C-alpha cells in the first residue's frame, strides 16, 4: 500500500512538472509575440525609436540569414524576397528592415527563437496578398503616406501586413464610440498604430482577452493623446 501511495505521488509530481513546463512555454510565447511586456499596447509612433526597438527585439541582421535559409528550404525564397521588396518600395525601408518586419509578421522570429519548433512552423508571405494589403493601406480610409506606412508596419507588423482590411474593420467595430468615426480612428492609428491589433472590448468586465482588448489599452492611449495635445 505504501508503494502505491509513493507511485501516485511520483505521478502527481510528474504531472506538475509538465504543467509548469507548459506554463513557462506559454509565457515565453506571449513575450515573443507581444512587443510590450504588459497587456496594453505601446503607442510610440516615432520611426527612429521603433526602428531601434525592432532591432533590439528581433536580433537585427543575424536573424535574416537563418530566415532566408529556412525560406529557401521551403522553396519560398523568391516569395520572401519579393514580399520584402514590396514593403521597401511602399514604405522607404531598406531590404533588411523590410525582412525584419516580415519575420515578425509571419512568425519567423518566434519560430527561430524557440528552436524551429514544428508546432510553430511559420507561414511564407504571398507577394500578391502583401501587395494588396499595402495598396489598401495607402488608400482610404487610412491613406497612409510612405513615412506613416513605415511607422505603422515597424510598430505592428502582423496587423498591418497580414490582413489590414479585416484588422481595421474589427478594430473600428470594437473601438470606443469616440474613435469609431473614420477620421478620428485614422488620427489614432497615426499616434498609436498598435490599435489595429485591438479587436475586443470587454466593457471593463474582463473576459481574459486582454492582449487584444481596448479596455486595458485605453488609459495609455488616452494618456498619449493628452501628452500630444500639450505639445
Amino acid at each position: 500500500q505504501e508503494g502505491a501511495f509513493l507511485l501516485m505521488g511520483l505521478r502527481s509530481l510528474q504531472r506538475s512538472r509538465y504543467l509548469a513546463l507548459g506554463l513557462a512555454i506559454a509565457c515565453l510565447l506571449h513575450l515573443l509575440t507581444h512587443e510590450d511586456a504588459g497587456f496594453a499596447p505601446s503607442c510610440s509612433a516615432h520611426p527612429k525609436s521603433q526602428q531601434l526597438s525592432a532591432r533590439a527585439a528581433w536580433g537585427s541582421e543575424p536573424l535574416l540569414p537563418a530566415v532566408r535559409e529556412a525560406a529557401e528550404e521551403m522553396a519560398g525564397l523568391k516569395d520572401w524576397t519579393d514580399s520584402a521588396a514590396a514593403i521597401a518600395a511602399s514604405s522607404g525601408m531598406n531590404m533588411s528592415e523590410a525582412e525584419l518586419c516580415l519575420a515578425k509578421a509571419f512568425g519567423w522570429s518566434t519560430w527561430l527563437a524557440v528552436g524551429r519548433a514544428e508546432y510553430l512552423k511559420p507561414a511564407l508571405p504571398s507577394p500578391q496578398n502583401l501587395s494588396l494589403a499595402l495598396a489598401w493601406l495607402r488608400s482610404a480610409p487610412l491613406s497612409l503616406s510612405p513615412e506613416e506606412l513605415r511607422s505603422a508596419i515597424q510598430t505592428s507588423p502582423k496587423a498591418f501586413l497580414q490582413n489590414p482590411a479585416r484588422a481595421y474593420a474589427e478594430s473600428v467595430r470594437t473601438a470606443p464610440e469616440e474613435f469609431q468615426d473614420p477620421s478620428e480612428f485614422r488620427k489614432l492609428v497615426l499616434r498609436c498604430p498598435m490599435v489595429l491589433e485591438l479587436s475586443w472590448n470587454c466593457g471593463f468586465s474582463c473576459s481574459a482577452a486582454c492582449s487584444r482588448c481596448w479596455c486595458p489599452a485605453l488609459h495609455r492611449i488616452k494618456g498619449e493623446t493628452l501628452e500630444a495635445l500639450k505639445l
Side-chain angles (χ1 to χ4, degrees), residues 50-120:
Q50 288 165 1
Q51 183 177 340
L52 291 173
S53 64
R55 288 180 175 175
W58 308 338
S60 191
E61 311 301 331
L63 171 70
L64 298 181
V67 172
R68 294 171 191 141
E69 180 183 352
E72 187 172 19
E73 290 172 359
M74 297 179 188
L77 183 58
K78 186 177 187 304
D79 284 349
W80 176 269
T81 303
D82 289 349
S83 297
I87 295 172
S90 297
S91 65
M93 296 186 201
N94 61 44
M95 282 293 287
S96 293
E97 291 169 336
E99 287 184 87
L100 287 171
C101 289
L102 276 179
K104 182 68 173 179
F106 289 89
W108 291 81
S109 53
T110 301
W111 179 64
L112 289 170
V114 296
R116 306 186 183 215
E118 186 64 29
Y119 61 89
L120 277 179

Side-chain angles (χ1 to χ4, degrees), residues 14 18 22 49 57 63 81 86 94 108 145 149 155 158 169 171 181 191 193 202 205 209 220 223:
Q14 187 177 33
Y18 285 137
S49 66
L63 171 70
T81 303
N94 61 44
W108 291 81
S145 68
L149 187 59
T155 301
K158 184 176 180 179
S171 189
D181 178 79
R191 286 196 303 270
C202 69
S205 179
R220 186 175 299 183

